[in-house]
């Protein structure tokens, strides 16, 4: 009986919330929608600031009673009204709430734009990064890295580096582009290749470049020297490249020992575990001459055959 009573109270509470939400939504609409009467329209003036707060309140009511579609619509309308009133931070917050109800990446992209407009560029990067992960959208994650580059600072660097790792398992080319941005950001804040976060990123870039070009992977390694050379990641990368250049499967297996893969972030280590199958250019080299194809020798000339000799005219 107590359980039934509790469930009944919850249903009544949700019904009351729904009714309050409907009422607030109607009030908000009247503040932004001109009346039908021509006379009333002459006296009417839109009030987006007040409407924004009523739309937001209605969204909260609908979210409580799990009317997600209505909640998302109200939060989005609230954001539009806040933006019209130049309240960009509040607009961004309501777009985030709308994204929580309806996982459309366009909503979180707009939220990031509004945060940036309010001067909170670092927050824009973080919000868009979280949204990109939730929506599994690589393009949005790339945009988050761009916001992080604008924001700058150590926190933005770490966020962007995490974005590279996330992209590595989905769009390796986008991950490499993002890594180039992160290296510049690290230069700006004084993070050298001898430091763990940058050393780990260098090792990751080498692994990402290997499937398309051994030369490009080796170049990425050499460009990080001499600072990178003193790190444990450098020893791993050196052994990995040497095994690939020799096309030595045993050396490659040793280089990719599970202990060595701890020098890589998880998503990048997953790619490395696929070597050499994931290396299109891989083919074992052999210096054994006995394995080379033997060309057939030309037939010997028959010196005793005089049939083709010219007749003796004498």
């Amino acid at each position: 009986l107590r359980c039934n009573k509790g469930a009944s109270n919850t249903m009544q509470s949700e019904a009351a919330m729904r009714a309050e939400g409907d009422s607030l939504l109607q009030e908000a609409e009247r503040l932004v929608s001109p009346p039908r009467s021509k006379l009333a329209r002459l006296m009417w003036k839109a009030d987006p600031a007040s409407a924004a707060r009523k739309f937001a309140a209605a969204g909260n009511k609908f979210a409580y009673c799990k009317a997600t579609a209505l909640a998302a619509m109200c939060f989005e309308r609230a954001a539009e009204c806040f933006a019209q009133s130049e309240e960009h931070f509040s607009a961004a917050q309501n777009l985030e709430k709308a994204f929580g109800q309806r996982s459309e990446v366009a909503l979180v992209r707009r939220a990031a734009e509004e945060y940036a407009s309010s001067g909170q560029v670092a927050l824009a990067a973080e919000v868009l990064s979280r949204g990109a992960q939730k929506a599994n959208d690589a393009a949005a994650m790339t945009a988050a890295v761009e916001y992080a580059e604008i924001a700058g600072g150590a926190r933005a660097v770490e966020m962007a580096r995490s974005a590279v790792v996330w992209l590595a398992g989905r769009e390796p080319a986008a991950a490499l582009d993002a890594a180039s941005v992160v290296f510049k950001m690290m230069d700006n804040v004084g993070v050298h290749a001898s430091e763990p976060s940058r050393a780990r990123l260098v090792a990751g870039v080498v692994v990402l470049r290997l499937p398309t070009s051994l030369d490009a992977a080796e170049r990425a390694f050499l460009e990080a020297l001499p600072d990178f050379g003193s790190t444990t990641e450098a020893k791993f990368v050196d052994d990995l490249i040497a095994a690939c250049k020799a096309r030595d499967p045993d050396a490659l297996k040793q280089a990719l020992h599970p202990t060595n893969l701890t020098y890589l972030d998880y998503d990048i280590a997953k790619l490395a575990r696929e070597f050499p199958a994931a290396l299109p250019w891989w083919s074992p080299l052999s210096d054994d001459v006995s394995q080379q194809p033997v060309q057939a020798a030309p037939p010997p000339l028959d010196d005793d055959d005089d049939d083709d000799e010219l007749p003796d005219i004498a």
Side-chain angles (χ1 to χ4, degrees):
L1 290 175
R2 288 180 180 176
C3 291
N4 290 338
K5 187 176 180 179
S8 177
N9 289 338
T10 300
M11 291 177 65
Q12 290 176 1
S13 177
E14 289 184 357
M17 285 285 188
R18 176 65 181 258
E20 291 176 23
D22 289 334
S23 178
L24 286 165
L25 177 56
Q26 291 175 9
E27 292 175 23
E29 291 287 6
R30 283 196 292 269
L31 290 170
V32 291
S33 302
R36 295 181 179 179
S37 169
K38 291 183 179 179
L39 182 59
R41 198 177 301 170
L42 292 173
M43 305 295 294
W44 178 84
K45 184 179 180 181
D47 187 359
S50 298
R53 285 158 180 78
K54 289 189 179 294
F55 276 126
N60 289 330
K61 302 289 185 183
F62 290 132
Y64 178 85
C65 58
K66 300 179 179 61
T68 55
L70 278 171
M73 182 271 290
C74 287
F75 289 135
E76 193 171 3
R77 294 292 301 278
E80 292 169 358
C81 291
F82 276 125
Q84 289 176 25
S85 305
E86 300 295 324
E87 296 182 60
H88 296 290
F89 192 87
S90 295
Q93 288 180 316
N94 278 274
L95 285 165
E96 267 199 274
K97 288 183 177 181
F99 179 69
Q101 300 294 319
R102 189 177 71 234
S103 298
E104 292 181 5
V105 74
L107 291 171
V108 78
R109 277 181 172 271
R110 287 167 55 197
E113 290 172 5
E114 294 293 344
Y115 276 128
S117 297
S118 71
Q120 300 290 329
V121 183
L123 183 57
E126 292 176 12
V127 167
L128 188 52
S129 175
R130 290 196 300 267
Q133 292 181 52
K134 183 178 179 180
N136 198 30
D137 191 296
M141 185 62 80
T142 300
V145 174
E146 293 171 1
Y147 278 117
E149 183 182 17
I150 296 170
R155 184 174 176 178
V157 167
E158 186 53 35
M159 192 285 297
R161 198 192 72 81
S162 298
V164 172
V165 176
W166 186 88
L167 285 166
R170 294 158 181 84
E171 296 284 347
L176 286 169
D177 291 339
S180 299
V181 173
V182 177
F183 283 135
K184 293 177 184 177
M185 294 172 66
M186 287 180 167
D187 289 338
N188 292 336
V189 297
V191 178
H192 302 289
S194 58
E195 298 183 40
S197 61
R198 184 157 185 162
R200 204 173 184 86
L201 183 60
V202 171
V205 166
V206 169
V207 170
L208 288 171
R209 290 205 177 278
L210 271 174
T212 54
S213 172
L214 175 56
D215 290 340
E218 185 174 20
R219 190 159 55 249
F221 170 46
L222 296 175
E223 287 173 356
L225 299 175
D227 291 346
F228 181 61
S230 61
T231 66
T232 51
E233 288 84 357
K235 176 66 168 61
F236 159 71
V237 170
D238 193 23
D239 291 344
L240 177 62
I241 290 177
C244 288
K245 291 175 75 173
R247 309 296 199 276
D248 186 336
D250 293 331
L252 182 65
K253 185 177 180 180
Q254 185 175 356
L256 296 176
H257 188 275
T259 303
N260 295 335
L261 291 180
T262 60
Y263 302 132
L264 300 172
D265 291 291
Y266 178 75
D267 286 329
I268 297 176
K270 280 177 64 178
L271 297 176
R273 289 191 190 98
E274 301 298 320
F275 295 166
L279 303 176
W281 45 262
W282 179 281
S283 59
L285 299 178
S286 175
D287 295 326
D288 188 354
V289 178
S290 65
Q291 299 297 322
Q292 304 298 324
V294 179
Q295 294 184 353
L301 295 176
D302 188 356
D303 294 336
D304 296 332
D305 189 358
D306 296 329
D307 293 342
D308 293 335
E309 293 182 359
L310 292 174
D312 187 355
I313 299 176

